[in-house]
Amino acid sequence: MSTARLVERHPELGSEELVAALAPPPRFDEARFENYVPNPEEPSQAEAVDRCREFASEVGDSSAKGGSWFRALFGRGSKSSAGGGRRPGLYLDGGFGVGKTHLLASIWHAVEGPKAYATFVELTNLVGILGFNEAVRRLSGHRFLAIDEFELDDPGDTMLVTQLLSKLTEAGVRVAATSNTLPDKLGEGRFAAVDFLREIHAMAERFNVVRIDGPDYRHRDVVEPPEPRDDAELRELAEATPVSTLDDFEELCAHLQRVHPSKYGRMVDEVSAVHLSGVHAAPNQGVALRLVALADRLYDRAVPVRNSGSPLSALFTEEMLEGGYRKKYLRALSRLTALSNELVRS
């Protein structure tokens, strides 16, 4: 029996499709403030819910974009601090697995449109396809923009995003973002961030920061991925699982380098499970970061994962886990562990 393969998928997304797809991923269709369950041992989580509710209410109150609300926000005598003040942005900072994306999607669901939701890589790709001015024109008509997985990985992203957020907030767009890194620490350990401190700090000044502490909720019961299957068993499982895929890990890594990360979501749409044979440590950081993006999109769509070869916990080398992208790699391992354990009894 022939099994579908991700390497045979070459998704193409036009600009109109990209704009139309600016909404939370399927996993967070039902995310609401009411079904976020704060950890009673972590007071910052309940506080974060309150802050996000308040922000959503402010977005609803600020319908006169660019008018009196904006002048009051930035006019003479207005106050703005990390702990308070009505800056145009809300920045949810915390470790992986504390529910930041759930709260971001909850804000999105709570406010009326026009509104948009995108991961950081989807947003930068949208600007690349539309062009900066056209992206500003389209997004400026929105009341609210949600940005998930906010990171600055290179100087180009830094300049692009700081200019984009400047234009959008000046137009009255409210922005909320999630990240594992405080806004004034973005880029550290990845490029010469010190050369862009003015831009980074200017962007950080647009956000009130809400810190969310706590352990990874995905690992309250299980902290390790299941043992890898052997190749023959993996193939049998793939063939017995309708609408699943089976790929050689080496071939998939090569394929990921030919597909823009913003298209990974479309690549795994309507896939019931992903099977990867011969998994081993990522050969270099470029491939590793693309595997992070794939893990994020699989998690967004709740697509379980089975594998042979090395355990998924060995996907990133010790050197990678000690470098500037450590938090990204740990987030990917957390999500892949959760996805692989969804099928552990299958």
Side-chain angles (χ1 to χ4, degrees), residues 36-337:
Y36 178 91
V37 182
N39 185 334
E41 297 180 1
E42 301 292 343
S44 65
Q45 294 188 9
E47 293 170 4
V49 176
D50 292 339
R51 293 286 297 278
C52 290
R53 284 184 187 271
E54 180 183 356
F55 182 81
S57 178
E58 291 175 3
V59 175
D61 292 340
S62 59
S63 57
K65 300 194 311 244
S68 60
W69 168 80
F70 189 80
R71 289 193 295 272
L73 179 61
F74 289 104
R76 189 184 303 274
S78 71
K79 293 184 178 181
S80 186
S81 65
R86 292 184 61 190
R87 297 181 181 183
L90 186 72
Y91 193 98
L92 303 178
D93 170 68
F96 41 87
V98 296
K100 299 185 302 296
T101 300
H102 184 120
L103 289 175
L104 183 69
S106 297
I107 297 173
W108 192 89
H109 287 298
V111 303
E112 295 183 3
K115 56 189 176 181
Y117 183 110
T119 64
F120 183 79
V121 69
E122 288 169 343
L123 182 63
T124 54
N125 186 52
L126 178 68
V127 177
I129 290 177
L130 293 179
F132 183 82
N133 291 335
E134 178 63 12
V136 169
R137 186 187 71 80
R138 293 203 183 198
L139 294 174
S140 292
H142 288 63
R143 175 178 293 177
F144 173 61
L145 171 64
I147 308 173
D148 198 18
E149 302 161 10
F150 197 109
E151 285 294 353
L152 298 180
D153 291 340
D154 60 59
D157 281 351
T158 300
M159 299 302 294
L160 175 69
V161 172
T162 54
Q163 292 175 27
L164 179 66
L165 291 181
S166 174
K167 294 290 187 182
L168 295 181
T169 54
E170 286 173 6
V173 181
R174 303 299 297 272
V175 180
T178 70
S179 183
N180 303 124
T181 306
L182 286 166
D184 61 352
K185 302 296 183 183
L186 290 164
E188 285 189 349
R190 303 178 186 182
F191 61 96
V194 67
D195 296 335
F196 297 88
L197 287 179
R198 183 178 66 180
E199 289 79 7
I200 292 172
H201 289 165
M203 184 194 65
E205 284 297 312
R206 300 181 184 276
F207 290 100
N208 281 329
V209 176
V210 174
R211 174 70 188 179
I212 308 176
D213 298 309
D216 186 346
Y217 81 92
R218 290 183 287 265
H219 293 178
R220 288 174 185 170
D221 301 316
V222 181
V223 296
E224 294 292 336
E227 288 296 314
R229 317 274 184 158
D230 63 47
D231 287 338
E233 181 187 14
L234 188 72
R235 176 169 290 280
E236 289 177 5
L237 289 167
E239 292 176 350
T241 306
V243 203
S244 70
T245 60
L246 173 63
D247 288 270
D248 174 77
F249 181 73
E250 194 78 29
E251 292 181 4
L252 179 63
C253 288
H255 183 62
L256 293 178
Q257 296 183 82
R258 296 188 291 267
V259 179
H260 192 278
S262 65
K263 300 176 182 177
Y264 291 178
R266 179 61 62 86
M267 188 168 67
V268 299
D269 274 346
E270 301 179 359
V271 172
S272 66
V274 164
H275 299 78
L276 301 175
S277 65
V279 166
H280 58 77
N284 56 63
Q285 193 143 260
V287 171
L289 290 172
R290 288 177 178 266
L291 289 169
V292 169
L294 178 63
D296 288 337
R297 302 294 74 80
L298 290 171
Y299 183 77
D300 285 346
R301 288 155 177 78
V303 180
V305 176
R306 294 187 181 109
N307 71 287
S308 66
S310 299
L312 291 173
S313 56
L315 199 56
F316 308 112
T317 66
E318 287 299 320
E319 183 180 4
M320 291 173 182
L321 292 174
E322 293 173 358
Y325 297 100
R326 170 182 171 81
K327 292 180 180 179
K328 281 193 171 188
Y329 296 143
L330 291 177
R331 182 184 74 220
L333 291 177
S334 167
R335 291 180 164 184
L336 288 171
T337 295

